[in-house]
Amino acid sequence: DKIKLPFSHKYVDRTMDFLVNYLKWNSNDIVIMKDDRFINPQYYPTKSNIERELLSISSKTSENDTSFVFYTGHGGFKTHSEDDSDGKD
């Protein structure tokens, strides 16, 4: 079962508002990923989508650029392999 975090999407929306309206960042330079069934599937926060976007950020930025990654939600672990001392990844 999925744990509901009712304010996570609000935090994302408020952060976007702050970046665009207060810091004057260009909204076209901001990528929003949400676990929302109405969002474009390429922006649903799967592992591969997140990795793709992080690689995209690193390929578009230079030494003097500012990047901001904001995460709100919850995490977890899964039992994986013997390569970890605690058996959790």
Side-chain angles (χ1 to χ4, degrees), residues 27-69:
S27 63
N28 293 323
D29 294 335
I30 298 172
V31 173
I32 301 290
M33 301 181 91
K34 292 181 182 178
D35 60 344
D36 186 328
R37 64 187 176 114
F38 299 110
I39 199 158
N40 180 328
Q42 84 179 61
Y43 297 117
Y44 195 89
T46 63
K47 179 182 178 186
S48 61
N49 286 349
I50 293 168
E51 288 174 343
R52 182 196 64 241
E53 292 303 320
L54 289 172
L55 286 172
S56 177
I57 290 169
S58 67
S59 71
K60 295 176 185 176
T61 56
S62 63
E63 183 178 322
N64 295 316
D65 287 337
T66 299
S67 297
F68 175 74
V69 177

